[in-house]
Amino acid sequence: MKSLISLPENEGTKIHYDMVNHIVLFKLKEYPAEEKAKIIAELKEMLEALQGKIYEVKYIEVGENYELDAKSYDLALISHFESVRDLEAYREHPAHLKVVERIKETTVERAAVDYFI
């Protein structure tokens, strides 16, 4: 079932939002460069595999920072869901929770934003 949220626009018309965009950034713990690269590749593969395991995931993209020693975040996740309910189902899905456990083991920071598109 599609979620449809209407918010008023300036001139009395309405904009319809029918997808939720979920963006998460991850900062890894301090690792030697070779180990860090392996962990990033592992997390990227695990996150991308969720689209095939969780029906509610309509789109997933995972990008790694091209600069391995950047002071910013190391990995970005972008995923789309048809509704907030679908996003919640994803968050509670056993396959997602397994990835979350691995992410907790390897990261020091996480930032997230969810917005309607």
Side-chain angles (χ1 to χ4, degrees):
M1 175 194 315
K2 246 186 182 181
S3 165
L4 187 60
I5 297 177
S6 298
L7 300 174
E9 196 177 342
N10 289 343
E11 298 177 17
T13 61
K14 294 189 182 227
I15 302 172
H16 297 285
Y17 297 87
D18 59 358
M19 295 287 285
V20 178
N21 198 5
H22 175 64
I23 299 177
V24 187
L25 302 174
F26 303 100
K27 177 76 173 164
L28 270 65
K29 294 177 180 177
E30 292 293 324
Y31 291 103
E34 188 175 310
E35 185 178 359
K36 184 175 184 177
K38 286 180 182 178
I39 292 170
I40 288 172
E42 173 194 5
L43 296 178
K44 184 177 190 304
E45 184 178 323
M46 291 176 79
L47 287 163
E48 289 173 340
L50 292 176
Q51 185 167 10
K53 296 176 181 176
I54 304 174
Y55 170 78
E56 289 82 5
V57 178
K58 299 306 174 200
Y59 171 83
I60 199 161
E61 178 182 344
V62 182
E64 57 188 270
N65 194 332
Y66 69 88
E67 190 177 348
L68 197 56
D69 290 331
K71 298 205 182 309
S72 58
Y73 290 87
D74 298 298
L75 202 60
L77 165 70
I78 301 169
S79 51
H80 298 170
F81 301 87
E82 288 186 349
S83 67
V84 172
R85 183 178 304 176
D86 285 354
L87 176 58
E88 291 301 321
Y90 161 79
R91 286 181 174 150
E92 297 170 4
H93 194 282
H96 176 254
L97 295 176
K98 182 177 179 180
V99 175
V100 167
E101 286 306 311
R102 182 63 178 140
I103 288 171
K104 286 180 180 179
E105 294 170 0
T106 58
T107 61
V108 292
E109 270 184 66
R110 175 188 173 277
V113 64
D114 300 310
Y115 60 91
F116 296 107
I117 54 177

